């Protein structure tokens, strides 16, 4: 039989069965389009259960929502409105077009990479929201990671170790979950686009056309452009910010090397203050808003006017102005180092550089003369503080060395009045001592501003145990922070307490040779100071000796403790040179 001859069946036998042709594969979208038992769809093709179809639709909708959230998330809480998300992000159109072109594994890999970038963008956007609320600026991905550790320490001090650990664990879980969610969302949408390519392609083209037209016409909705490209702009800003951060180190080194007082002999420094006790006091979060906000200014104005008169009755005169801080909302150490070093220390990289240098600080200048003992009262320091050596302090008293055995007032480890009393007990009141220069930080006006200590009799402070009852009567910060207006009220009351403590200290312990310079370190958070508030803080000088004010007459500061709106405003980094010049070589 020839090899390729097909045999014919014999008529007396059953015909040879012919295999039925294989059924054609049915596109999944047709299967999904069929109805349950109602006809339609593809006959003979089983449908997915209703629960799975609902879950699939919910999953796709969630993926779309996540992508829109990541691409349209504003950087300020005030911008979190429905209108912010009723826009067309150009990045979504480009991403959809790219995923429609790719197929198979390449599509999934690209979708996963895009989703990872989207997830990281969401995390950075969330950090921006928090930083704008706390510091009035965006998160710096190069320099600001160390502040997260400080934030964890703040939580530990405010809500306890357990609460801080739980919050940290939740934040870490979220940091891992968000990028994973971004990857899953974009991969899911990429597959959906491919399955519905016949519909997705023209829709994507239409979306791109609408975006271009809206961008060309400048169309807006709720004050924002309909054609959004905020994510691309944000990424470009971060690239520029990172480049500027790395370039800033060289700029700062040049500025630090330019020091007019570096080689000034000690015997020529600060001659105009010889024999005086000079106190530099920082008041936490005491900003210009406290003096000019319509809700706070009347109260603070009365307090400062009354305090000016009380000090005048005790023989003191006072002058005041404004300084512009390098930070706002938080970052007190940046302001302290700026004020004392004469350099603009606006971020952590500069802080690390300056505190590791031999830059002459205002406090070190006093020690260089050999005419003063230099001390620091640092109630906010709860662990080792090597920066104390940079500031030229002979002795630093932190919260563990002030003799305080009372309760904490939220974040503040020691009430301001007790810190001042401890300074007097440890240094100011010692018999036979010489002149003192002290750097003192008052922390009772630190966020969250509840509960607030009360003024007590100076002789009755003891070891601080008396504050147990005061703490029990104070406000619960959790209740305070449910009401934005009450937050502002408690902030104002905390500043009033700090200023009252300081004025009362002068009345109780000051003398003919006391010279006080006190200032705020930065404005409070934007929720209190207001969006777009300046970074100005009040600064004042108090003394009994008229010769002190003769030397600063050319500064043009206002009389009294409350500077007027037209009072001079200097950058905080200029104060060191102005002060050393006023009381130094020219004398």
């Amino acid at each position: 039989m020839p090899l390729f001859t097909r045999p014919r069946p014999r008529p007396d036998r059953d015909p040879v069965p012919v295999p039925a042709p294989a059924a054609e594969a049915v596109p999944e979208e047709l299967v999904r389009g069929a109805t349950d038992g109602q006809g339609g769809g593809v006959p003979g093709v089983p449908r997915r259960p209703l629960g799975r179809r609902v879950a699939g639709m919910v999953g796709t909708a969630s993926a779309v929502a996540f992508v829109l959230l990541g691409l349209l998330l504003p950087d300020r809480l005030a911008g979190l409105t429905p209108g912010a998300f009723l826009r067309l992000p150009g990045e979504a159109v480009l991403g959809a077009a790219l995923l429609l072109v790719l197929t198979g594994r390449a599509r999934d890999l690209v979708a996963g990479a895009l989703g990872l970038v989207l997830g990281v963008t969401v995390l950075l956007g969330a950090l921006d929201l928090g930083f704008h609320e706390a510091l009035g600026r965006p998160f710096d991905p190069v320099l600001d990671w160390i502040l997260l550790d400080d934030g964890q320490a703040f939580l530990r001090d405010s809500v306890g170790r357990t609460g801080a650990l739980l919050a940290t664990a939740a934040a870490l879980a979220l940091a891992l979950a968000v990028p994973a969610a971004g990857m899953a969302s974009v991969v899911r949408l990429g597959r959906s686009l491919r399955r519905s390519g016949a519909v997705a392609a023209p829709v994507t083209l239409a979306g791109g056309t609408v975006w271009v037209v809206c961008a060309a016409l400048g169309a807006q909705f709720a004050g924002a452009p309909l054609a959004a490209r905020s994510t691309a702009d944000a990424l470009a800003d971060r690239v520029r910010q990172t480049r500027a951060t790395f370039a800033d180190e060289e700029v700062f080194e040049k500025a630090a090397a330019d020091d007019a007082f570096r080689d000034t002999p000690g015997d020529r420094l600060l001659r105009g203050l010889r024999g005086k006790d000079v106190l530099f006091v920082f008041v936490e979060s005491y900003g210009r808003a406290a003096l000019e906000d319509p809700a706070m200014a009347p109260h603070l104005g009365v307090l400062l006017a009354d305090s000016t008169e009380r000090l005048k009755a005790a023989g003191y005169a006072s002058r005041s102005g404004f300084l512009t801080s390098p930070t706002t909302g938080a970052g007190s150490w940046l302001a302290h180092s700026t004020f004392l070093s004469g350099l603009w220390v606006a971020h952590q990289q500069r802080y690390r550089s300056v505190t590791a240098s031999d830059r002459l600080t205002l406090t070190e200048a006093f020690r260089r003369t050999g005419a003063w003992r230099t001390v620091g009262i640092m109630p906010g320091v709860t662990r080792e503080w090597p920066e104390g050596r940079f500031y030229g302090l002979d002795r630093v008293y932190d919260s563990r060395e002030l003799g305080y055995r009372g309760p904490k007032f939220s974040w503040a480890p020691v009430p301001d009045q007790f810190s001042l009393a401890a300074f007097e007990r440890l240094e100011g009141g010692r018999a036979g001592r010489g002149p003192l220069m002290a750097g003192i930080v008052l922390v009772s006006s630190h966020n969250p501003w509840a509960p607030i200590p009360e003024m007590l009799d100076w002789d009755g402070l003891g070891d601080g145990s008396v504050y147990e009852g005061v703490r029990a009567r104070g406000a619960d910060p959790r209740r305070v922070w449910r009401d934005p207006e009450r937050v502002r009220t408690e902030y104002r009351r905390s500043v009033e307490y700090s200023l009252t403590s300081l004025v009362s200290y002068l009345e109780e312990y000051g003398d003919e040779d006391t010279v006080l310079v006190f200032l705020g370190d930065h404005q409070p958070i934007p929720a209190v100071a207001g969006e777009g508030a300046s970074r100005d803080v009040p600064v004042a000088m108090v003394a009994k000796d008229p010769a002190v004010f003769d030397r600063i007459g050319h500064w043009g500061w206002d009389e009294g403790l409350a500077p007027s709106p037209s009072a001079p405003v200097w950058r905080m980094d200029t104060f060191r040179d102005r002060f050393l010049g006023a009381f130094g070589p020219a004398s």
Side-chain angles (χ1 to χ4, degrees):
M1 178 185 299
L3 183 62
F4 297 103
T5 299
R6 181 179 179 184
R8 297 180 180 180
R10 292 175 58 177
D12 57 342
R13 297 187 179 181
D14 294 334
V16 178
V18 179
E24 292 185 4
V26 180
E28 184 180 351
E29 56 268 26
L30 294 180
V31 176
R32 290 186 286 108
T35 58
D36 287 335
Q38 300 293 327
V42 179
V45 178
R47 288 186 44 83
R48 291 190 302 165
L50 177 62
R52 289 187 60 190
R53 283 186 287 124
V54 172
M57 289 187 289
V58 170
T60 301
S62 299
V64 171
F66 186 92
V67 170
L68 291 177
L69 171 70
L71 295 178
L72 297 175
L73 183 68
D75 61 357
R76 289 171 173 80
L77 288 178
L80 281 174
T81 62
F85 299 97
L86 297 178
R87 298 186 294 152
L88 178 62
E91 300 90 349
V93 176
L94 290 175
L98 177 61
L99 295 179
L100 280 170
V101 172
L102 299 173
T103 59
R105 185 171 179 80
R107 180 193 63 226
D108 286 348
L109 288 175
V110 171
L114 292 176
L116 179 61
V117 172
L118 180 66
V120 173
T121 300
V122 172
L123 286 178
L124 292 176
L127 288 170
D128 279 347
L129 283 171
F131 269 65
H132 272 295
E133 286 301 301
L135 302 176
R137 63 173 178 82
F139 174 75
D140 188 321
V142 178
L143 302 174
D144 284 340
W145 295 107
I146 190 173
L147 298 183
L148 301 182
D149 178 63
D150 292 324
Q152 200 273 342
F154 172 75
L155 280 175
R156 184 175 60 249
D157 293 336
S158 300
V159 301
R161 183 177 298 274
T162 301
L165 287 175
L166 290 175
T168 301
L172 289 175
L174 196 62
L176 295 174
V178 169
M183 295 173 67
S185 296
V186 179
V187 168
R188 183 183 187 91
L189 292 179
R191 293 175 178 176
S192 297
L193 287 170
R194 190 64 185 173
R195 287 195 299 267
S196 56
V199 176
V203 169
T204 301
L205 178 60
T209 303
V210 171
W211 190 94
V212 170
V213 171
C214 289
L217 297 177
Q220 293 193 346
F221 177 78
L226 280 172
R229 56 182 182 186
S230 51
T231 301
D233 291 342
L235 289 175
D237 288 342
R238 292 195 187 281
V239 170
R240 287 191 291 269
Q241 181 185 31
T242 301
R243 289 177 178 172
T245 296
F246 288 117
D248 180 72
E249 187 171 358
E250 182 178 352
V251 173
F252 187 65
E253 286 178 358
K254 290 181 179 179
D258 183 15
D259 186 352
F261 293 91
R262 178 190 300 276
D263 300 320
T264 303
D267 61 356
R268 296 190 63 212
L269 288 170
L270 299 162
R271 287 180 176 177
L273 291 172
R274 297 300 169 97
K276 307 290 187 186
D277 291 330
V278 182
L279 313 181
F280 295 103
V281 179
F282 293 93
V283 180
E284 173 68 35
S285 299
Y286 177 36
R288 184 166 187 159
L291 304 185
E292 298 183 356
D293 181 270
M296 295 185 283
H299 301 275
L300 264 299
V302 170
L303 174 70
L304 290 173
D306 178 66
S307 297
T308 299
E309 293 303 315
R310 285 169 53 189
L311 290 177
K312 186 180 297 185
Y316 291 97
S318 55
R319 300 288 186 276
S320 58
F322 289 106
L323 300 177
T324 301
S325 175
T327 185
T328 186
S332 303
W333 59 94
L334 303 178
H336 300 169
S337 54
T338 293
F339 179 82
L340 296 173
S341 72
L343 294 170
W344 190 250
V345 186
H347 50 68
Q348 196 65 22
Q349 177 175 286
R350 287 191 167 197
Y351 180 75
R352 288 195 296 264
S353 296
V354 71
T355 54
S357 72
D358 60 354
R359 175 79 175 185
L360 178 68
T361 62
L362 191 53
T363 42
E364 171 64 29
F366 279 86
R367 187 167 73 165
R368 181 184 288 186
T369 67
W372 280 273
R373 172 172 167 79
T374 59
V375 300
I377 303 296
M378 305 293 168
V381 175
T382 59
R383 48 191 172 182
E384 294 304 313
W385 189 56
E387 291 91 338
R389 291 188 294 273
F390 164 71
Y391 289 115
L393 299 172
D394 295 319
R395 181 74 162 85
V396 174
Y397 298 92
D398 63 27
S399 61
R400 301 164 295 181
E401 300 171 292
L402 296 177
Y404 184 67
R405 300 294 179 267
K408 290 177 60 175
F409 284 79
S410 194
W411 181 87
V414 184
D416 291 346
Q417 186 185 6
F418 192 95
S419 295
L420 293 167
F423 165 67
E424 187 64 22
R425 169 170 42 84
L426 296 168
E427 293 285 347
R430 291 194 309 172
R433 68 166 178 80
L436 286 171
M437 190 294 304
I440 302 174
V441 179
L442 301 183
V443 297
S444 291
S445 50
H446 193 289
N447 183 336
W449 308 307
I452 303 170
E454 300 171 1
M455 286 298 300
L456 304 174
D457 185 87
W458 288 94
D459 294 329
L461 296 180
D463 66 355
S465 301
V466 67
Y467 284 101
E468 291 287 355
V470 177
R471 171 68 177 81
R473 292 191 297 271
D476 184 340
R478 291 171 296 183
R479 292 185 177 180
V480 168
W481 281 80
R482 294 172 189 164
D483 181 355
E485 287 306 312
R486 191 173 179 192
V487 170
R488 292 159 60 82
T489 298
E490 296 305 306
Y491 159 74
R492 186 257 303 165
R493 291 183 61 242
S494 71
V495 171
E496 289 175 343
Y497 167 76
S498 297
L499 297 178
T500 300
S501 298
L502 193 53
V503 170
S504 181
Y505 171 82
L506 283 179
E507 292 177 314
E508 186 76 15
Y509 299 110
D511 58 30
E512 299 295 328
D513 292 323
T514 301
V515 177
L516 168 67
V517 177
F518 73 92
L519 66 150
D521 48 17
H522 53 70
Q523 288 264 49
I525 60 175
V528 173
E531 290 289 341
S534 74
R535 296 191 174 192
D536 297 347
V537 298
V539 58
M541 183 179 292
V542 183
K544 287 188 175 182
D545 187 352
V548 170
F549 297 106
D550 290 342
R551 289 179 172 272
I552 67 168
H554 60 287
W555 287 3
W557 283 12
D558 291 346
E559 290 191 17
L561 299 179
S564 68
S566 61
V569 181
W570 306 339
R571 280 194 6 161
M572 193 175 280
D573 57 334
T574 66
F575 184 86
R576 186 205 70 155
D577 287 8
R578 291 176 185 268
F579 189 88
L580 291 177
F583 295 102
S587 56

